[in-house]
Amino acid sequence: MASQHPIAEASAKYPKPAERTFQYGTAGFRMKASLLDSVVYRVGLLAALRSRKLNGQIIGVMITASHNPPDDNGVKLVDPMGEMLEGSWETYATILANAPSDQKLVEAYDKLTSDLKINSEIKARVVFARDTRASGPRLVSALLASLEATSTENTDYKLLTTPQLHYITRCLNTKGTPYDYGIPTEQGYYEKMATSFKAAIGGRKIQGPVTVDCANGVGGPKLRELIKYLPSSSEGGIDIKVVNDDVVKPERLNHQCGADFVKTNQRAPPSSHSTPLSRCASLDGDADRIMYYFTDSDSSFHLLDGDRIATLAALFIGDMARNAGLGEKLKVGVVQTAYANGASTSYITQDLKLPVVCTPTGVKHLHHAATKFDVGVYFEANGHGTVVFSDLALKRINKYEPKSPAQSSALDTLRALTALINQTVGDALSDLLLVEVILAHKSWGPKEWDLTYTDLPNRLGRVEVADRNIFKTTDAERKLESPPGAQAQIDALVGKYKNGRSFARASGTEDAVRVYAEAATKGEADDLATKVADVVKRAGI
């Protein structure tokens, strides 16, 4: 009988909430933690299927809701090379999550096993971790129940940042191969970061400390741990001042701090007591996003977001490739989304003379596009991004014979960067060290970095709607296909502002629509954003 099936029996403890439809989005499943038990249980089933389909390769499961409020949580899968779950499998995640009963769940599971020609005899293997949210341990229990019901070998890595789990997943799957990515432990991660940082900094001096706001999330304790492996400034390294690292009170997570707070409010967290012109950075709740910022001598706030990090990385990597004698052999490109400031796109194409590709929002889209280049730099404006080196690029960088001491020095830096950068996914800790290395090489403070180009004033807003799914986009999310007539109204508004640009897109994680606007002045950008938000409100009723 179906009720005696181990999957159904365990599922009975985690019933699907009635009247709820779940959808695997850009960040996996993410919602109020109280609704997630059945979803996490079913994601465990999918992880087992995915591992068996890939002949027992290890799949990662991360329980986190990143920058969302403390009462939310989420779950997402990590594929064997540390990348996001393959797109076609998102549909299977949605099918399992929405099975209306234990019996129907078993039927859906069996149908996927059959349709995907999965050999159930293959040993499934899964690793998992969570962030610091209070609901994490309860959701881990639901995950473990499904892994046990499917006889899946599993390892609990407890508290990790999301990028650390991506790193460990890739390390485990590449161990003993020519693509070995490192030691598959948390300590291995810190050692790799520290060793490559020392090599990349190459004796150059970092100007003063950097203050890092950890959003009162898992990045706090993990950054403190990483610091133990890094040389201090007196040892030729770096001084990092950690703030907002309270993980004892879960309700403080992302509260008036973190990367999303800084980006949305265009100001430093109240708890950031930084002096003028000192470097500050904010992580998000699971440490896969980072924002830099500073205040100048007249207390004006300057944001150095994902666009700024992308342009800095592209500038430096392009310079290092040319200085190493590899300028003609490595095609460097930058991938952005519609949220990228128009001024950054112009700087990349006109000043750096590098190609830019625009993709829909979501790391999976950017990562995929970045792999088309020898060196693909991708960052969303929200601070989520990394640099991806192709196998051919790595081969050329590692085998190239320098023709002079200058080429040799640049080549050493380039090789160190390939190890320092977490190529599996955006990683705030890795990106922090990357930025610090580049600024040290260029002898820049945040002001010099900020002067590379002038951002168009912009405003990012959020409009709550009854059903986000009616907002459909096209042209890499820069235009609304539906509701009918909404885009024409937005176009008419944009045409009234100098350097005006605006778009609206449904959030991938909540029933809200994000509205982005930029224009020649701050007042015009704010005005345009307000008017486009009104269009969205009326269309969403």
Side-chain angles (χ1 to χ4, degrees), residues 43-52 55-61 77 109 120-129 143-157 165 169 172-173 175:
V43 164
L45 302 182
L46 189 75
L49 286 173
R50 183 74 177 147
S51 178
R52 289 192 169 104
N55 292 316
Q57 288 192 82
I58 294 162
I59 299 298
V61 178
L77 292 186
Y109 180 86
S120 298
E121 299 302 311
I122 291 171
K123 171 63 79 177
R125 297 186 295 164
V126 167
V127 295
F128 61 93
L143 177 64
L144 278 169
S146 62
L147 298 179
E148 285 162 12
T150 52
S151 302
T152 299
E153 184 182 293
N154 63 83
T155 306
D156 180 0
Y157 279 87
L165 184 73
T169 303
L172 288 166
N173 285 301
K175 196 174 179 183

Side-chain angles (χ1 to χ4, degrees), residues 161-370:
T161 69
T162 294
Q164 286 177 329
L165 184 73
H166 283 255
Y167 163 86
I168 286 170
T169 303
R170 181 162 177 166
C171 290
L172 288 166
N173 285 301
T174 56
K175 196 174 179 183
T177 75
Y179 303 100
D180 193 316
Y181 198 63
I183 299 165
T185 62
E186 187 181 340
Q187 183 180 342
Y189 169 92
Y190 298 131
E191 287 171 347
K192 183 177 181 180
M193 290 285 145
T195 302
S196 53
F197 172 77
K198 287 176 207 167
I201 206 83
R204 286 159 185 84
K205 186 165 174 53
I206 291 177
Q207 300 175 14
V210 57
T211 299
V212 183
D213 151 35
C214 296
N216 292 318
V218 69
K222 300 312 178 187
L223 177 56
R224 285 200 182 278
E225 197 58 34
L226 173 60
I227 289 168
K228 295 175 187 174
Y229 293 79
L230 296 169
S232 67
S233 61
S234 61
E235 300 164 321
I238 184 170
D239 281 346
I240 300 172
K241 290 165 66 175
V242 179
V243 297
N244 294 326
D245 64 334
D246 180 0
V247 294
V248 177
K249 301 187 190 78
E251 68 276 7
R252 296 192 64 184
L253 174 68
N254 295 319
H255 180 64
Q256 294 219 303
C257 59
D260 202 53
F261 173 89
V262 171
K263 177 68 174 169
T264 305
N265 293 282
Q266 304 270 315
R267 62 187 174 93
S271 51
S272 178
H273 306 296
S274 58
T275 53
L277 299 179
S278 62
R279 298 184 315 289
C280 300
S282 284
L283 319 181
D284 69 337
D286 64 339
D288 64 358
R289 285 163 46 176
I290 186 167
M291 288 280 174
Y292 266 79
Y293 47 92
F294 69 100
T295 53
D296 60 23
S297 47
D298 66 1
S299 298
S300 296
F301 176 78
H302 297 262
L303 183 67
L304 297 158
D305 62 5
D307 296 342
R308 293 280 180 181
I309 298 171
T311 53
L312 185 71
L315 164 68
F316 186 65
I317 290 168
D319 283 351
M320 286 299 108
R322 279 188 296 278
N323 295 347
L326 286 167
E328 298 300 311
K329 294 184 174 68
L330 295 178
K331 186 184 180 189
V332 180
V334 181
V335 185
Q336 296 184 318
T337 71
Y339 287 112
N341 194 281
S344 74
T345 310
S346 298
Y347 174 73
I348 296 162
T349 55
Q350 293 169 23
D351 292 69
L352 302 185
K353 304 281 192 286
L354 294 174
V356 173
V357 174
C358 186
T359 74
T361 306
V363 180
K364 60 186 178 189
H365 300 298
L366 288 106
H367 193 95
H368 180 71

Side-chain angles (χ1 to χ4, degrees), residues 25 43 103 112 181 187 269 304 322 382 384 391 399 412 419 525 529:
V43 164
Q103 164 90 38
L112 285 175
Y181 198 63
Q187 183 180 342
L304 297 158
R322 279 188 296 278
N382 66 17
H384 195 161
D391 288 342
K399 292 195 171 176
D412 286 345

Side-chain angles (χ1 to χ4, degrees), residues 37 67 216 470 478 537:
D37 298 68
H67 60 278
N216 292 318
I470 66 170
R478 290 176 284 195
K537 274 179 202 157

Side-chain angles (χ1 to χ4, degrees), residues 431-451:
D431 293 336
L432 171 77
L433 296 182
L434 171 65
V435 168
E436 292 298 317
V437 162
I438 298 172
L439 294 179
H441 271 262
K442 299 191 81 63
S443 298
W444 281 2
K447 190 172 184 181
E448 289 80 9
W449 178 12
D450 190 45
L451 288 171

Side-chain angles (χ1 to χ4, degrees), residues 52 56 82 91 174 187 250 309 382 411 436 454 473 485 509 528 531:
R52 289 192 169 104
T91 307
T174 56
Q187 183 180 342
I309 298 171
N382 66 17
L411 199 60
E436 292 298 317
T454 304
T473 61
T509 56
L528 178 56
K531 287 178 176 170

